[in-house]
Every structure is written in C-alpha cells, then in structure tokens.
Amino acid sequence: MREKAVVIGGGIAGKLAAKALSHFFQQVIIVEADQEYKEKAPRKRVPQSHHPHVLLKRGEEAIEMLFPGIMSQLIEDGSIITDFTNDLKWHHFGYWKERFSGDFPMVQQSRPMFEWHLQRRVEEVPNITTLYETKVEQLLVNKHDHTVLGVRVRFLKTGLAEELAAGLVVDASGSASKSTDWLRALDIKVKEEKVKIQLFYATRFYSHQKQEHLEWHNLLISPSFPDNPYGAYIQTLEENRFSVTFSGYANASPPQTDDEFISYAKRLPVPDVLQFLEGAEPLSDIKIYRVPAQVRRRFDQAKNMPEGFCIIGDAHCRFDPLFGQGISVAAMQALELQASLSRAKKACKGFSQRFHKRISNIINVPWEMATTEALRHPEIKGERTFVQPFKQWYCKKVYELSASDPEIYIRLVRVMNLIRSPLHLFHPKVLFPILTHQRHK
C-alpha cells in the first residue's frame, strides 16, 4: 500500500477515482470546493444537477464494478428500469425507430439521486476522506526528478493555506481544471482539440396527469443537422416525475418563460412533446445550462508530464452532454486507473504517460461519435477532416435504416452505449443493407 493520494474534485469523476485509488493507498483525500451535502438535491457548484443525466450501459457496468451492488440500491430507492429499444420513443433523421424488446435493460434516475447514492458509498470506504470548502491552488512537483509531491490547498472558510503531500494526484475537477496552467508553468504544453458547439439546454420538471397512458418511458427528438436543429428529451424519473429538456446549438436562444417553452415544442418536427406538455403540470422553474465547446486535452501527447499526475473526466475531455457520454467515460477511466495501478506493483517511471495513453484510447470512440454529428451543423466551428463526409454519410445511413431494421438498431445501440466498437456497424448485416439501399435510390 502506498501512503497517500489526492483527488482534486469531489464530483462523480472524483468519487469514482477515489474508490479506484482506495485499494492501493493507505489514505485517499478528496479536495472539494463545494459544501458537504446530505440530501438528494442539486448541488450549488454543479449546474448539471438541474438537468437529466444518462448512464450508458458500459458506464453502468463500470460503476457496478467499482461499487458492487449500487445498481440494486438505486433500484430499491425508486430508479426506473427501462429497455432501451422498447421503452425509448426516438425520432431521428426524419424517422421514428420501430420499438421492440431488445433485452437491453438500463437503470435511470435523477442526477441528485445518483450522486447521493455515490456519496453514501464513498463515505463507507474507511480510507477515503473529503475536505469540503477547500480549493487546490497549486500542483507541487519535485524539480530534480520531476515527480509529484502533492498539492497546495486553501481552506475557503478560514483563508488559510496548507500543503498536502501525496505520491499520486488525480485531477477530476471538471472542465474548469487548472491542469494546463500548472503544466504550462512547468514549460509543458498541452494541445487542445476543440469543437465550438455553443450548446444550450433548458430543463423543467413536470408531473403528468395521464402518466399511466403514456406509451413510453423516455421520448427523444434528436437534432438532425441541417434539416432539424432542435432537440428534445423527456425522461421518466423517480417519484412520478418527468424532466423535459430542450436543446439548441450554435448560439440558439433558449426558452426562458412558459410561453417560450411551449413555442419551442411547436418548432419540433413531431407534435409528441407538445402533446405531453398539454397534459403536464410544472414542478420547477426552467433551468438553463450552456456548453461553449467540446474540448479534448491531449495529455497523452504531452512531453515530460510530471510522474504521479493523472487527469480524468471533464478535466481531460469535455463531451457534448446531449450524447450522455461524460459520466460513463469517467467511470471507464476510473476502472482503467484501478487496473493500471494493479499492473504497476511499485512506483515506476512512465506510469502517468502510459495511463494517459490508455485514457486516450477510451476517449477516441465517444469523441469521434460526438464531433462527427456536431460538425454536420454548418455554423459549428471545428476541424473537418477529409474522411468526415464519408463518416457522416455512413452514419446517416445507419440512423435511417435502424428505424426499420432491428438488427441494425440493436448494433447501433451497442456502439452508442460503448459496449462494442464502431466496427460493429461494418458487419455484413449492416453493410449489405446500406449498399443495397444506396443502389436502389
């Protein structure tokens, strides 16, 4: 057992990383700027708390491996179990997907409920401690051997500063991470890949008078650039509630009043969301959240990274949240951190570099999926590669044919949920129908 590790950030990625570290360090300290919380309520420093979250199947499996039994606990507390291909009514590129029982169960709940359960499980781990209302100001690095010594923190209540020694520091502080600044001070440059999506989403919670008559658990109207730039998602939650979320890209204006919320529903290509709202009663105000860009920081390509410094979650790569990839990718990264530490029986040179390369491999597929779709929008700025038009053409064919072909649909669902690689969509059962369809056009 190594002596001490520090995790910067007590959000979902930070908690998952801390659990992974707890098997290898005598003490794991989570440094969290927010106040301690003891209830299932949105957190002050987590604006996403007011919006729906999605656990992809691979993320669900990773979290269950880190915290055995947590899915059962969430279900006992009222989480909704759905069949992805049967309980989701999905409109995409002009078509409704045909629904069928696909034996693809998913567990869903509100984000505050999920975080509360995660918090309870972390508190049960005896060698994990959380310092609340504390901010990390500096990464401490030994200039002679370029290894991490720990971090300097400041306690927000008193203003006092202190140095925390650590053999490993994991930055899970989210998209506002200071990692690139700290590394720049050490003359280490980190390349950034950025797609300026200028996304908003607007969410309101509802009860529904005729809940028992709804034919679905979740309703998704996907943006289909360039024809339909508007998106909507209705998710069934615990306590007989629904979240209704609208989205828009490229600096579109979010609905902020009752009338604007209804007007936005009328812009959608199908009337289902409007019909739902007509039978629903608001339970909350409208909350707006904005994401200016998808950002991927290439720590895997940076030279001379300090040994013992690792970056995960949104601090490493911030995805388009409408794809629901962030939490699941963070869980996969935490699981990789655990596996990497298990392989490294002792502190060895090159650990951080090897870890970031493995993290990059985890990021590749979801990053490509999200950026390929975003760059269909003519007003979204980002690097468009020469293979992008083919990828967009092929993906669109998959989306269109998946509406009526169960084999293609279930394969798409597996790839979206990070269970299988994109090569799963180049199987003859997908490729031949696409080529046949194209030849008949």
Side-chain angles (χ1 to χ4, degrees), residues 182-316:
W182 296 332
L183 293 173
R184 194 178 299 114
L186 297 169
D187 292 326
I188 300 170
K189 295 180 181 179
V190 180
K191 178 186 174 184
E192 279 192 350
E193 298 173 6
K194 185 177 292 188
V195 179
K196 296 180 180 179
I197 56 177
Q198 298 295 338
L199 167 75
F200 83 79
Y201 48 99
T203 299
R204 196 174 202 181
F205 291 88
Y206 287 85
S207 62
H208 198 274
Q209 299 168 2
K210 300 178 180 178
Q211 180 175 349
E212 65 278 8
H213 299 303
L214 294 173
E215 56 164 330
W216 42 263
H217 280 91
N218 302 316
L219 176 69
L220 176 60
I221 315 296
S222 289
S224 304
F225 305 135
D227 300 328
N228 169 40
Y230 308 112
Y233 181 49
I234 304 179
Q235 186 180 46
T236 303
L237 299 173
E238 69 276 6
E239 300 175 351
N240 299 316
R241 294 179 301 148
F242 296 84
S243 62
V244 179
T245 301
F246 293 126
S247 63
Y249 289 83
N251 275 327
S253 298
Q256 303 189 55
T257 66
D258 293 353
D259 289 344
E260 289 176 353
F261 216 69
I262 297 296
S263 296
Y264 210 88
K266 292 178 179 178
R267 298 183 196 176
L268 299 170
V270 288
D272 299 63
V273 176
L274 184 62
Q275 292 168 358
F276 173 88
L277 293 176
E278 288 171 349
E281 188 71 29
L283 297 175
S284 72
D285 296 332
I286 300 168
K287 298 293 184 180
I288 310 294
Y289 186 56
R290 290 180 170 85
V291 178
Q294 296 178 184
V295 181
R296 181 180 184 180
R297 300 183 174 106
R298 300 307 302 257
F299 297 105
D300 58 309
Q301 298 176 357
K303 296 180 179 179
N304 205 26
M305 283 282 288
E307 200 60 65
F309 185 44
C310 300
I311 303 98
I312 70 168
D314 281 6
H316 196 127

Side-chain angles (χ1 to χ4, degrees), residues 35 41 51 56 103 110 114 117 119 125 188 208 210 219 250 256 258 282 355 359 372 421 431 439-440:
Q35 299 175 345
H51 302 274
L56 303 179
D103 193 26
S110 66
F114 175 72
H117 274 270
Q119 175 71 17
V125 183
I188 300 170
H208 198 274
K210 300 178 180 178
L219 176 69
Q256 303 189 55
D258 293 353
F355 174 73
I359 290 301
T372 295
S421 82
L431 189 58
R439 190 164 56 244
H440 290 164

